[in-house]
mmCIF file of all heavy atoms in Angstrom:
data_model
loop_
_atom_site.group_PDB
_atom_site.id
_atom_site.type_symbol
_atom_site.label_atom_id
_atom_site.label_comp_id
_atom_site.label_asym_id
_atom_site.label_seq_id
_atom_site.Cartn_x
_atom_site.Cartn_y
_atom_site.Cartn_z
ATOM 1 N N LEU A 322 4.164 57.785 166.737
ATOM 2 C CA LEU A 322 4.696 56.544 166.181
ATOM 3 C C LEU A 322 4.243 56.323 164.727
ATOM 4 O O LEU A 322 3.167 56.778 164.338
ATOM 5 C CB LEU A 322 4.206 55.344 167.016
ATOM 6 C CG LEU A 322 4.617 55.307 168.476
ATOM 7 C CD1 LEU A 322 3.991 54.097 169.171
ATOM 8 C CD2 LEU A 322 6.132 55.266 168.592
ATOM 9 N N GLU A 323 5.085 55.609 163.989
ATOM 10 C CA GLU A 323 4.636 55.098 162.680
ATOM 11 C C GLU A 323 3.450 54.183 162.962
ATOM 12 O O GLU A 323 3.378 53.554 164.020
ATOM 13 C CB GLU A 323 5.763 54.253 162.060
ATOM 14 C CG GLU A 323 7.034 55.010 161.737
ATOM 15 C CD GLU A 323 6.833 55.957 160.575
ATOM 16 O OE1 GLU A 323 6.006 55.662 159.694
ATOM 17 O OE2 GLU A 323 7.497 57.016 160.564
ATOM 18 N N ARG A 324 2.574 54.015 161.965
ATOM 19 C CA ARG A 324 1.382 53.203 162.198
ATOM 20 C C ARG A 324 1.731 51.761 162.603
ATOM 21 O O ARG A 324 1.072 51.162 163.439
ATOM 22 C CB ARG A 324 0.497 53.179 160.945
ATOM 23 C CG ARG A 324 -0.222 54.481 160.698
ATOM 24 C CD ARG A 324 -1.142 54.841 161.881
ATOM 25 N NE ARG A 324 -2.097 55.894 161.525
ATOM 26 C CZ ARG A 324 -1.879 57.182 161.701
ATOM 27 N NH1 ARG A 324 -0.743 57.604 162.243
ATOM 28 N NH2 ARG A 324 -2.780 58.082 161.346
ATOM 29 N N SER A 325 2.795 51.187 162.015
ATOM 30 C CA SER A 325 3.143 49.800 162.344
ATOM 31 C C SER A 325 3.608 49.709 163.801
ATOM 32 O O SER A 325 3.313 48.732 164.511
ATOM 33 C CB SER A 325 4.212 49.254 161.400
ATOM 34 O OG SER A 325 5.349 50.090 161.457
ATOM 35 N N ASP A 326 4.332 50.727 164.281
ATOM 36 C CA ASP A 326 4.795 50.714 165.675
ATOM 37 C C ASP A 326 3.615 50.946 166.641
ATOM 38 O O ASP A 326 3.575 50.380 167.724
ATOM 39 C CB ASP A 326 5.853 51.816 165.891
ATOM 40 C CG ASP A 326 7.146 51.487 165.146
ATOM 41 O OD1 ASP A 326 7.412 50.284 164.912
ATOM 42 O OD2 ASP A 326 7.867 52.431 164.774
ATOM 43 N N LEU A 327 2.681 51.795 166.202
ATOM 44 C CA LEU A 327 1.479 52.006 167.032
ATOM 45 C C LEU A 327 0.696 50.702 167.155
ATOM 46 O O LEU A 327 0.237 50.319 168.231
ATOM 47 C CB LEU A 327 0.608 53.127 166.428
ATOM 48 C CG LEU A 327 -0.680 53.423 167.192
ATOM 49 C CD1 LEU A 327 -0.408 53.869 168.625
ATOM 50 C CD2 LEU A 327 -1.494 54.512 166.464
ATOM 51 N N GLU A 328 0.576 50.006 166.024
ATOM 52 C CA GLU A 328 -0.148 48.719 166.015
ATOM 53 C C GLU A 328 0.508 47.751 167.000
ATOM 54 O O GLU A 328 -0.167 47.067 167.770
ATOM 55 C CB GLU A 328 -0.155 48.144 164.587
ATOM 56 C CG GLU A 328 -0.925 46.848 164.447
ATOM 57 C CD GLU A 328 -2.239 47.029 163.691
ATOM 58 O OE1 GLU A 328 -2.329 47.907 162.825
ATOM 59 O OE2 GLU A 328 -3.172 46.263 163.986
ATOM 60 N N GLN A 329 1.836 47.722 166.996
ATOM 61 C CA GLN A 329 2.589 46.841 167.899
ATOM 62 C C GLN A 329 2.334 47.226 169.358
ATOM 63 O O GLN A 329 2.093 46.361 170.199
ATOM 64 C CB GLN A 329 4.080 46.960 167.534
ATOM 65 C CG GLN A 329 5.018 46.145 168.399
ATOM 66 C CD GLN A 329 4.751 44.649 168.268
ATOM 67 O OE1 GLN A 329 4.396 44.196 167.168
ATOM 68 N NE2 GLN A 329 4.885 43.919 169.364
ATOM 69 N N LEU A 330 2.400 48.517 169.640
ATOM 70 C CA LEU A 330 2.160 48.999 171.006
ATOM 71 C C LEU A 330 0.742 48.637 171.469
ATOM 72 O O LEU A 330 0.532 48.158 172.591
ATOM 73 C CB LEU A 330 2.364 50.509 171.098
ATOM 74 C CG LEU A 330 2.043 51.127 172.463
ATOM 75 C CD1 LEU A 330 3.050 50.703 173.515
ATOM 76 C CD2 LEU A 330 1.990 52.648 172.380
ATOM 77 N N VAL A 331 -0.211 48.838 170.583
ATOM 78 C CA VAL A 331 -1.607 48.546 170.937
ATOM 79 C C VAL A 331 -1.768 47.053 171.200
ATOM 80 O O VAL A 331 -2.444 46.647 172.159
ATOM 81 C CB VAL A 331 -2.579 49.029 169.826
ATOM 82 C CG1 VAL A 331 -3.982 48.488 170.029
ATOM 83 C CG2 VAL A 331 -2.604 50.569 169.793
ATOM 84 N N ALA A 332 -1.092 46.237 170.409
ATOM 85 C CA ALA A 332 -1.157 44.777 170.619
ATOM 86 C C ALA A 332 -0.597 44.418 171.998
ATOM 87 O O ALA A 332 -1.197 43.638 172.744
ATOM 88 C CB ALA A 332 -0.361 44.049 169.529
ATOM 89 N N GLU A 333 0.504 45.062 172.374
ATOM 90 C CA GLU A 333 1.106 44.789 173.685
ATOM 91 C C GLU A 333 0.209 45.263 174.821
ATOM 92 O O GLU A 333 0.012 44.550 175.805
ATOM 93 C CB GLU A 333 2.463 45.516 173.803
ATOM 94 C CG GLU A 333 3.549 44.862 172.979
ATOM 95 C CD GLU A 333 4.797 45.767 172.825
ATOM 96 O OE1 GLU A 333 4.961 46.693 173.643
ATOM 97 O OE2 GLU A 333 5.544 45.521 171.877
ATOM 98 N N LEU A 334 -0.353 46.466 174.659
ATOM 99 C CA LEU A 334 -1.244 46.995 175.711
ATOM 100 C C LEU A 334 -2.505 46.146 175.827
ATOM 101 O O LEU A 334 -3.042 45.959 176.929
ATOM 102 C CB LEU A 334 -1.583 48.461 175.448
ATOM 103 C CG LEU A 334 -0.421 49.449 175.538
ATOM 104 C CD1 LEU A 334 -0.864 50.855 175.126
ATOM 105 C CD2 LEU A 334 0.173 49.495 176.943
ATOM 106 N N ALA A 335 -2.977 45.630 174.684
ATOM 107 C CA ALA A 335 -4.166 44.750 174.717
ATOM 108 C C ALA A 335 -3.851 43.504 175.544
ATOM 109 O O ALA A 335 -4.679 43.059 176.343
ATOM 110 C CB ALA A 335 -4.592 44.387 173.288
ATOM 111 N N GLU A 336 -2.650 42.966 175.393
ATOM 112 C CA GLU A 336 -2.201 41.823 176.201
ATOM 113 C C GLU A 336 -2.208 42.177 177.690
ATOM 114 O O GLU A 336 -2.481 41.333 178.535
ATOM 115 C CB GLU A 336 -0.753 41.447 175.847
ATOM 116 C CG GLU A 336 -0.578 40.765 174.503
ATOM 117 C CD GLU A 336 -0.916 39.299 174.609
ATOM 118 O OE1 GLU A 336 -0.340 38.638 175.490
ATOM 119 O OE2 GLU A 336 -1.752 38.826 173.821
ATOM 120 N N ASP A 337 -1.862 43.427 177.988
ATOM 121 C CA ASP A 337 -1.815 43.880 179.387
ATOM 122 C C ASP A 337 -3.175 44.263 179.940
ATOM 123 O O ASP A 337 -3.256 44.756 181.071
ATOM 124 C CB ASP A 337 -0.877 45.111 179.515
ATOM 125 C CG ASP A 337 0.585 44.742 179.270
ATOM 126 O OD1 ASP A 337 0.957 43.572 179.472
ATOM 127 O OD2 ASP A 337 1.348 45.647 178.861
ATOM 128 N N GLY A 338 -4.214 44.132 179.136
ATOM 129 C CA GLY A 338 -5.564 44.371 179.662
ATOM 130 C C GLY A 338 -6.224 45.661 179.218
ATOM 131 O O GLY A 338 -7.261 46.046 179.761
ATOM 132 N N LEU A 339 -5.618 46.329 178.224
ATOM 133 C CA LEU A 339 -6.248 47.566 177.718
ATOM 134 C C LEU A 339 -7.674 47.269 177.258
ATOM 135 O O LEU A 339 -7.937 46.235 176.636
ATOM 136 C CB LEU A 339 -5.413 48.104 176.547
ATOM 137 C CG LEU A 339 -5.780 49.501 176.014
ATOM 138 C CD1 LEU A 339 -5.369 50.567 177.021
ATOM 139 C CD2 LEU A 339 -5.099 49.775 174.669
ATOM 140 N N PHE A 340 -8.592 48.181 177.545
ATOM 141 C CA PHE A 340 -9.986 48.027 177.127
ATOM 142 C C PHE A 340 -10.268 48.739 175.806
ATOM 143 O O PHE A 340 -11.020 48.270 174.966
ATOM 144 C CB PHE A 340 -10.929 48.588 178.197
ATOM 145 C CG PHE A 340 -12.336 48.790 177.730
ATOM 146 C CD1 PHE A 340 -13.200 47.702 177.609
ATOM 147 C CD2 PHE A 340 -12.784 50.068 177.384
ATOM 148 C CE1 PHE A 340 -14.495 47.896 177.155
ATOM 149 C CE2 PHE A 340 -14.077 50.255 176.927
ATOM 150 C CZ PHE A 340 -14.948 49.155 176.819
#
Side-chain angles (χ1 to χ4, degrees):
L322 298 177
E323 297 290 329
R324 288 300 194 269
S325 57
D326 292 333
L327 179 60
E328 182 108 30
Q329 178 62 35
L330 175 70
V331 169
E333 287 166 20
L334 294 175
E336 287 279 307
D337 291 335
L339 188 72
F340 165 78

